Amino acid sequence: MIRRKSIPAGASVAGLILLVGCAGTMSANECAGADWRAIGEADGKVGEPAALFGKRSQDCLSHGYAVDHDAYRVGRDAGLAQLCTPDGGFDAGSAGVEYKGVCPADAEPGFLEQFT
């Protein structure tokens, strides 16, 4: 049975994709004010692979800014916890998000069941 769920305003997967921006490219200004936990959470919510942090790190380090891998990981885990649910699968599938195999093994079956 497919659950139909309305997506709250401001919380759509498509909106998060726009928020995260181009996959990994960060300007000097973005790096200067980077909230690594928030960036990780946004990446997790749209199912970006953990390797994206490497690209973001390279960008910021090349601009002379430090990165916080621990904060990013905590945020990404929180984002994945929101994505990797049956409702998250439905929302992501409805928004046309490409699933990149990022959900934990115990959460993936429920996610994929609703990912359409």
Side-chain angles (χ1 to χ4, degrees), residues 8-101:
S12 74
V13 174
L16 286 170
I17 291 170
L18 294 174
L19 174 68
V20 172
C22 299
T25 303
M26 292 184 67
S27 69
N29 286 339
E30 291 169 323
C31 293
D35 177 342
W36 288 103
R37 187 189 186 295
I39 293 168
E41 187 170 350
D43 285 352
K45 285 179 181 178
V46 297
E48 290 294 349
L52 181 54
F53 178 76
K55 173 63 178 141
R56 294 189 187 285
S57 294
Q58 288 176 340
D59 290 345
C60 290
L61 291 172
S62 73
H63 295 306
Y65 293 96
V67 298
D68 187 341
H69 182 261
D70 290 337
Y72 180 87
R73 183 184 42 76
V74 167
R76 184 170 176 277
D77 288 348
L80 287 176
Q82 293 177 51
L83 172 70
C84 298
T85 65
D87 287 341
F90 180 81
D91 292 346
S94 296
V97 172
E98 175 189 350
Y99 177 57
K100 299 174 184 171

